[in-house]
Amino acid sequence: MPKVNIDFKTAPGPVGGELAWRTADLEKNRDWVHYLDEDDIAELEQAAVRTKEQGIEILSIRKQDFPLSRITAKIASLRNDILNRIGFGYMRGLPVDKYDRDMLTRIYWGLSSHLGDIVPQNRNGHMIGHVIDIGTKVDDYNKRLTQTSAGLSFHSDSCDAVGLVCIHTAMRGGESALVSAISVHDEMMRRSPELCRLLYQPLTVDRRGEVPEGKQPWMRIPVFMWQNGQLNAYAPLEEYLNSARRFEDAPKMTDQQWEATKLFFSICNDPEFSIKIPFEPGDFQFVQNHVVLHSRTSFEDWPEQAKKRHLMRIWISFADGRELHPALEERWVNVARGTVRGGVNIPNRKALSIPMEPMTPAFS
């Protein structure tokens, strides 16, 4: 459980600001989509080829090993979108069908290394993961839901930013959506300040088998955290709140807390607040987890294995990221600015790796 000396302060009211956007704000001005042109693509390809010619393994590639010049202005703008302007970044136009898996992974890793430090995203030590349906059972409580065809409620991941690159889309469904956690908070504060304030207190969440040293298989963590005049959010999957009920020794959420989460998710799903951005092959999306939440609808895949819905995921730490509330240590272990933080840090985590085969289980 969180340390007893943690101060769960509450924002005095709606927070507002540029990060508190609604769907109409983003649809009015789509300058947040950064398009890659032929010269940008050529520069990314040249940098990736250079790392291969120098014999640098993908895991060992650092920013200095992946020199870019022409595209750096776009990357700086993308990074500013993620950190300061809207809480996420979108880049479009990489010809993913053109590359083999090694080349695509090098480009993805190299580009991401210009944004921040890459951290492990599961207990198998995967530094890049495959978001693809491998037939994992939805009711397997020791695994996450990303390698199923199930829909995912609005949530945040345990890193400063989660990145996705789209390779294939589903035959039907699998739509992605984003919502400003600050806008959701502010709307809750307007509609029901009492329920909003309940989400500043810890909720009981299933860890799904990824347990840091000395911790329980469940965790207690708030949705909203207010510190030094700044609001951050951590939204667990709704399914993980429900599956935490299986732990008899875990503190039970009150009826009022369940009511608060119901209002929270209903606002998240309101089209006035959440924007659907259909993925296209070659799209990059980077979401800052402290201020923007993401979801997807369930999907029906193509019958052909080669056409299955497939995204590659990366988790990133920002040395210059937001100051984080100590309550997040319950999940993150380390939250200090200026360090590599977030990711999955558990005693039995396997050696760091990048699985090249898309159907590799993330949680074997």
Side-chain angles (χ1 to χ4, degrees):
M1 295 181 65
K3 299 172 185 176
V4 295
N5 62 343
I6 291 179
D7 188 359
F8 296 105
K9 292 181 179 178
T10 304
V15 175
E18 195 170 17
L19 289 165
W21 50 261
R22 297 190 183 191
T23 303
D25 300 321
L26 298 182
E27 290 180 338
K28 189 184 307 178
N29 183 356
R30 298 182 69 88
D31 65 352
W32 45 269
V33 182
H34 303 276
Y35 292 92
L36 293 170
D37 62 29
E38 290 184 3
D39 291 334
D40 298 330
I41 293 165
E43 185 171 55
L44 289 168
E45 291 174 350
Q46 290 164 9
V49 168
R50 182 176 181 270
T51 64
K52 191 163 188 175
E53 290 176 346
Q54 292 182 335
I56 304 174
E57 296 293 327
I58 298 173
L59 275 175
S60 300
I61 295 173
R62 298 296 178 265
K63 181 179 177 179
Q64 61 268 25
D65 304 313
F66 204 89
L68 300 171
S69 56
R70 186 183 189 281
I71 197 177
T72 49
K74 278 184 185 174
I75 293 175
S77 183
L78 180 78
R79 196 172 190 276
N80 183 60
D81 283 351
I82 301 166
L83 282 170
N84 305 309
R85 194 164 76 101
I86 54 174
F88 71 91
Y90 218 87
M91 186 170 274
R92 174 164 284 174
L94 188 72
V96 290
D97 289 343
K98 176 181 176 181
Y99 311 119
D100 62 20
R101 185 77 61 223
D102 180 84
M103 182 66 169
L104 176 57
T105 306
R106 286 176 184 273
I107 290 174
Y108 189 26
W109 182 282
L111 173 63
S112 299
S113 72
H114 281 260
L115 296 174
D117 298 296
I118 300 161
V119 296
Q121 57 187 264
N122 57 41
R123 59 177 173 256
N124 280 336
H126 293 168
M127 298 292 273
I128 288 180
H130 298 278
V131 180
I132 192 169
D133 180 16
I134 66 169
T136 297
K137 294 181 179 179
V138 174
D139 59 356
D140 188 337
Y141 292 151
N142 284 314
K143 296 179 181 177
R144 296 193 216 147
L145 294 173
T146 49
Q147 290 189 308
T148 73
S149 61
L152 302 177
S153 62
F154 278 97
H155 64 284
S156 51
D157 293 336
S158 301
C159 54
D160 284 326
V162 54
L164 293 168
V165 61
C166 178
I167 301 171
H168 298 297
T169 57
M171 183 169 66
R172 275 182 288 273
E175 290 182 298
S176 249
L178 303 176
V179 69
S180 163
I182 297 176
S183 284
V184 175
H185 166 274
D186 289 358
E187 185 66 12
M188 281 195 75
M189 190 66 81
R190 294 184 190 101
R191 292 190 197 179
S192 179
E194 299 81 7
L195 291 181
C196 184
R197 292 187 185 105
L198 286 175
L199 296 187
Y200 280 88
Q201 297 300 313
L203 306 182
T204 303
V205 185
D206 192 347
R207 290 187 189 273
R208 293 287 176 129
E210 292 184 335
V211 186
E213 188 173 4
K215 300 290 186 180
Q216 300 284 351
W218 42 268
M219 60 182 172
R220 295 275 289 164
I221 195 163
V223 171
F224 298 131
M225 288 155 278
W226 179 256
Q227 185 179 29
N228 299 330
Q230 176 182 274
L231 178 70
N232 288 329
Y234 179 82
L237 280 163
E238 192 172 11
E239 295 83 354
Y240 295 3
L241 293 172
N242 288 319
S243 65
R245 299 176 195 249
R246 65 196 172 105
F247 300 113
E248 293 183 2
D249 60 337
K252 306 302 179 189
M253 286 169 50
T254 66
D255 290 343
Q256 291 76 20
Q257 284 179 313
W258 285 111
E259 186 181 353
T261 62
K262 183 178 179 181
L263 176 58
F264 172 81
F265 285 117
S266 72
I267 297 172
C268 285
N269 286 300
D270 185 336
E272 182 181 344
F273 292 89
S274 58
I275 183 169
K276 290 183 177 178
I277 310 173
F279 270 120
E280 297 177 8
D283 284 358
F284 293 93
Q285 175 186 278
F286 297 94
V287 178
Q288 187 189 172
N289 286 297
H290 313 304
V291 293
V292 171
L293 316 176
H294 58 286
S295 76
R296 80 165 186 226
T297 61
S298 61
F299 62 90
E300 183 181 350
D301 236 333
W302 299 95
E304 301 91 343
Q305 178 71 25
K307 293 175 66 177
K308 285 173 71 73
R309 182 184 190 272
H310 182 199
L311 298 93
M312 289 167 61
R313 181 180 58 208
I314 206 160
W315 280 12
I316 297 173
S317 167
F318 293 131
D320 57 345
R322 292 166 77 87
E323 181 183 357
L324 300 182
H325 195 280
L328 269 181
E329 292 176 2
E330 180 73 359
R331 177 70 174 94
W332 285 43
V333 181
N334 169 42
V335 298
R337 291 189 83 217
T339 67
V340 179
R341 61 188 187 180
V344 174
N345 299 289
I346 56 176
N348 58 344
R349 190 189 70 200
K350 295 181 181 178
L352 302 182
S353 65
I354 298 176
M356 288 297 186
E357 169 52 49
M359 299 298 285
T360 303
F363 304 95
S364 55

